[in-house]
Structure formats: C-alpha cells, structure tokens
Amino acid sequence: MAVLKKVGLVALPVSDWERAKKFYTETLELPIQFIVDEMGWAQFGPKRGAQIGLNRWSGPQPFPTPVNGAVVMWPVNNVKRSINKLKRRGVKVGEIVEAPGYVIFADFWD
C-alpha cells in the first residue's frame, strides 16, 4: 500500500503578496479557501482536491529561483481557448506545445 495517497497542496513562495493574491483569484479565478495576511499564507482551489498555497517570502536568504520552484499543471477542456483567455488578461504565456495523441500544454507565468 502506498504511503502517500494524493497531492493535497503545492506551496509556492511569492515576493509580491498583493499581486500574487490578485493573480490567483482574479486572473486564474481559483476559489479562495482562506487567506491569513498576518501570517503570509493563502490557499486556493477546490475544497476537495489539490490546492495552491501561497507563502509570502520574507528572506533573509535569496528568493528561490524558478529552477528550484514548483511546476503546477492544471487540466483544462481546451488549451488554446484557455491560453487566449489568459493572454487577454495580460498574462505572459509561452508557445503551445503538442504531442499528438498524448498532451498539449503551454507555460504561463504569474
């Protein structure tokens, strides 16, 4: 029997707290589970299933680089439509990559 059953949360450090909260709530339209500004912690996503946690970065060590960060993947019904919606909202989006019959995806940055 597996020790780990499922992913519950992916935590991401953020340097611009207010901008990050706005991005995940308004741009990505993720439901807010809770936000504790005093502690610099917020969780977004469905009540049941994996969630995104934001952790306000306050150093003193250097901010984690993208090489050391997490990669989060969200399933969508239509990648091209979803990417176009993000572009209209001003999100930086990479090129759509497709492996026919397997996967289609595109990177985007908060």
Side-chain angles (χ1 to χ4, degrees):
M1 177 162 60
V3 175
L4 304 175
K5 303 292 182 198
K6 63 180 180 175
V7 173
L9 177 89
V10 176
L12 305 172
V14 298
S15 59
D16 188 332
W17 182 242
E18 294 303 322
R19 182 178 166 275
K21 290 188 301 180
K22 184 177 179 179
F23 180 80
Y24 285 90
T25 56
E26 295 178 18
T27 304
L28 297 185
E29 299 178 341
L30 293 177
I32 300 168
Q33 291 308 314
F34 60 89
I35 296 175
V36 185
D37 286 315
E38 305 80 39
M39 295 179 64
W41 184 261
Q43 280 183 225
F44 306 92
K47 286 191 185 291
R48 296 176 191 260
Q51 295 182 0
I52 298 293
L54 300 182
N55 182 22
R56 184 177 52 223
W57 184 258
S58 57
Q61 55 276 55
F63 187 79
T65 64
V67 173
N68 298 326
V71 174
V72 182
M73 297 183 183
W74 282 284
V76 296
N77 292 328
N78 185 307
V79 171
K80 292 175 184 173
R81 194 173 347 183
S82 297
I83 288 301
N84 286 332
K85 187 174 187 179
L86 290 174
K87 284 181 179 180
R88 285 192 304 273
R89 293 179 178 184
V91 176
K92 178 183 173 187
V93 178
E95 295 296 318
I96 293 176
V97 177
E98 186 169 358
Y102 292 99
V103 67
I104 180 171
F105 69 92
D107 295 327
F108 68 89
W109 294 265
D110 63 353

